[in-house]
């Protein structure tokens, strides 16, 4: 019975689970944000690449 009561009062694993859940939520947020910025970033890098090609051929 003593072993069972110590097991029920031990909360050391709860903190690790909470940190894991927080990390998962942050990861989902980052993935969602990057997914919505994907098109904008692609357009920006395409414009920069085109400008660099234009500047390189103008020499």
């Amino acid at each position: 019975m003593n072993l069972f009561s110590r097991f029920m009062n031990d909360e050391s694993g709860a903190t690790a689970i909470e940190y894991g859940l927080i990390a998962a939520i942050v990861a989902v947020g980052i993935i969602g944000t990057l997914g919505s910025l994907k098109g904008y970033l692609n357009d920006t890098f395409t414009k920069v690449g085109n400008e660099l090609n234009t500047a390189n051929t103008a020499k």
Side-chain angles (χ1 to χ4, degrees):
M1 191 66 174
N2 188 18
L3 178 65
F4 181 72
S5 66
R6 279 194 341 227
F7 177 74
M8 291 302 293
N9 290 330
D10 186 15
E11 295 181 3
S12 61
T15 303
I17 292 171
E18 290 168 357
Y19 283 132
L21 288 173
I22 291 170
I25 291 169
V26 169
V28 168
I30 289 172
I31 291 169
T33 302
L34 291 178
S36 65
L37 290 176
K38 179 180 154 184
Y40 174 74
L41 289 173
N42 192 21
D43 291 343
T44 301
F45 283 117
T46 301
K47 288 178 186 177
V48 169
N50 290 339
E51 290 293 326
L52 288 172
N53 286 335
T54 303
N56 191 29
T57 58
K59 286 185 175 183

